[in-house]
Amino acid sequence: QVQLVESGGGSVQSGGSLRLSCQATRDTRSNNCMAWFRQAPGKGRERVATIDRNLITRYADFVKGRFTISRDTAANTMTLQMNSLKPEDTAMYYCAADGRWPCPLGNYMFWGQGTQVTVSS
């Protein structure tokens, strides 16, 4: 069982930046896939970015060039650097992990509780 705890959410103005962190309670080397998802009120969950065991990253088109995902295996952490934030980025952001390979598209095994990101215009 892996427990994931997100931090770093908050409120910023449009164009601002935030850095989200995800702390895993178990060795992340056993998690082949890690990802950030988000869900805005009244909308479905969206995959924002993923990073796999080979540090290969993938991004949703709506964040390409603005967000950067990274992981520190030794520290059991994953981060999401978010720049040039827009009001439409407002959502609850969730950290997710999964030991399966290849990485699943959305049904990750382990989830954090989420951290709120609010971007005002």
Side-chain angles (χ1 to χ4, degrees), residues 47-68:
R47 186 175 71 253
V48 176
T50 62
I51 184 166
D52 68 23
R53 66 187 183 188
N54 298 317
L55 302 183
I56 302 298
T57 59
R58 294 178 175 84
Y59 297 91
D61 287 343
F62 53 78
V63 303
K64 281 183 179 177
R66 301 189 297 125
F67 292 10
T68 302

Side-chain angles (χ1 to χ4, degrees), residues 39-115:
Q39 187 166 18
K43 295 186 177 181
R45 187 175 63 197
E46 301 178 301
R47 186 175 71 253
V48 176
T50 62
I51 184 166
D52 68 23
R53 66 187 183 188
N54 298 317
L55 302 183
I56 302 298
T57 59
R58 294 178 175 84
Y59 297 91
D61 287 343
F62 53 78
V63 303
K64 281 183 179 177
R66 301 189 297 125
F67 292 10
T68 302
I69 189 172
S70 61
R71 65 190 289 182
D72 184 336
T73 302
N76 293 343
T77 60
M78 177 178 66
T79 61
L80 184 69
Q81 177 66 42
M82 305 186 295
N83 299 326
S84 302
L85 283 161
K86 305 174 182 180
E88 51 263 44
D89 293 318
T90 295
M92 185 71 78
Y93 283 71
Y94 297 91
C95 168
D98 198 299
R100 292 173 292 177
W101 189 260
C103 296
L105 292 178
N107 295 323
Y108 275 57
M109 294 176 65
F110 306 108
W111 293 85
Q113 293 299 308
T115 184

